[in-house]
Amino acid sequence: MNLIEEDSDGRTLWVTGAGSGMGRAVARSAAARGYKVALSGRRKEALEETARLIGQEGGASKILTMDSAVPSQVLQAKEEINREWGLISHVVLSAGLNHPRRYWRDQSMSDFNEIVTTNLTGAAYVTDAVLPDMRSAGGGVVLFVSSFSGWQYSPDAGVAYSSSKTALASLAQSLNGQENRNGIRSCHLCPGDVDTDFLSMRPQVPGSKARESMLGPADIAAAVQFVLDSPSHVCINELVITPVKKQ
């Protein structure tokens, strides 16, 4: 049995992109189940609202305002978590970015770079930072919140977005291939349409009728919780979740 299992009260989860949408829902779900949750993102006010909700529900959280695409900020945040709560046992990488100009005909390379840096490079920075903790603890979970377009080509998802989310599958596979021996498990989570503020980054923002048939942040949080709580001998390599299509 690894150290994390022996001390269930010592489960520490780091959620990036915790200020809204899926990240906020994941943080609240995990806190309700007894995880100590470190909340990170670039918007302090949004993180404070997530922390307020968790506090109202009796959970424990810590705010870490940072940009996961900046290595020094990632390392500083990791050290702050260690000082207060010890080793980090679980990570959910939910920070994401897209842009309305997402086709070869209209995208800019500066936007392309920012999207890839946020979605892919930032996720790699955080993963690299927490692996020593997980090796020391004898196990851990790294979950990448990807996209349906990271699992199957989606023509309107965007060149940079699709490329970066597809690459997350390789990060998860490499972790499982190299770190399962250390008890570390990774999951590439691929949700379909989810009704969050992220939809505002689409060229045409869906209306209320279209949103009625989408998944909600709570649906994603339930799936993430299933992965986080899975026994240490179970590795959920990839999980694809889509809303039911009634037409």
Side-chain angles (χ1 to χ4, degrees):
M1 183 176 294
N2 65 39
L3 297 179
I4 292 168
E5 286 183 316
E6 289 176 352
D7 181 11
S8 59
D9 292 334
R11 296 177 301 181
T12 297
L13 168 66
W14 185 359
V15 181
T16 69
S20 62
M22 292 182 282
R24 173 177 287 174
V26 167
R28 293 177 66 184
S29 171
R33 291 184 62 84
Y35 288 75
K36 291 174 290 191
V37 185
L39 312 169
S40 72
R42 290 181 289 187
R43 297 176 297 148
K44 183 179 180 181
E45 295 80 7
L47 295 175
E48 288 174 339
E49 175 61 15
T50 302
R52 185 188 68 80
L53 292 169
I54 288 174
Q56 283 184 339
E57 295 157 0
S61 66
K62 176 179 177 61
I63 293 173
L64 301 158
T65 306
M66 67 161 217
D67 185 343
S68 59
V70 181
S72 61
Q73 294 183 20
V74 170
L75 292 176
Q76 181 179 353
K78 189 258 185 186
E79 290 170 359
E80 288 185 30
I81 299 169
N82 289 158
R83 280 195 297 270
E84 184 163 342
W85 288 338
L87 299 177
I88 298 166
S89 58
H90 298 70
V91 174
V92 173
L93 299 153
S94 184
L97 183 65
N98 205 347
H99 198 284
R101 297 191 300 273
R102 55 181 63 180
Y103 304 95
W104 283 109
R105 64 177 179 265
D106 63 2
Q107 70 175 355
S108 71
M109 284 295 99
S110 61
D111 288 338
F112 183 100
N113 182 65
E114 186 178 9
I115 292 167
V116 172
T117 300
T118 298
N119 295 352
L120 176 61
T121 312
Y125 285 152
V126 175
T127 300
D128 185 69
V130 301
L131 285 178
D133 278 20
M134 294 182 177
R135 294 186 189 112
S136 295
V141 175
V142 178
L143 187 145
F144 299 96
V145 179
S146 182
S147 167
F148 186 82
S149 64
W151 178 71
Q152 179 176 300
Y153 174 64
S154 304
D156 296 320
V159 179
Y161 186 81
S162 293
S163 300
S164 58
K165 292 297 187 179
T166 299
L168 290 179
S170 295
L171 290 189
Q173 291 166 4
S174 65
L175 281 173
N176 288 329
Q178 299 171 25
E179 297 290 344
N180 266 182
R181 70 191 69 183
N182 296 315
I184 298 168
R185 299 162 287 147
S186 184
C187 179
H188 181 228
L189 182 72
C190 304
D193 289 338
V194 184
D195 184 8
T196 70
D197 292 342
F198 200 75
L199 295 177
S200 65
M201 298 181 186
R202 290 189 175 182
Q204 295 183 336
V205 179
S208 57
K209 183 65 176 177
R211 292 171 186 250
E212 290 176 0
S213 61
M214 295 182 181
L215 299 169
D219 299 318
I220 307 307
V224 170
Q225 199 66 56
F226 168 68
V227 176
L228 296 179
D229 291 343
S230 293
S232 61
H233 67 281
V234 174
C235 182
I236 302 169
N237 295 266
E238 188 170 63
L239 190 56
V240 181
I241 309 167
T242 60
V244 173
K245 296 180 180 179
K246 296 183 178 180
Q247 294 180 347

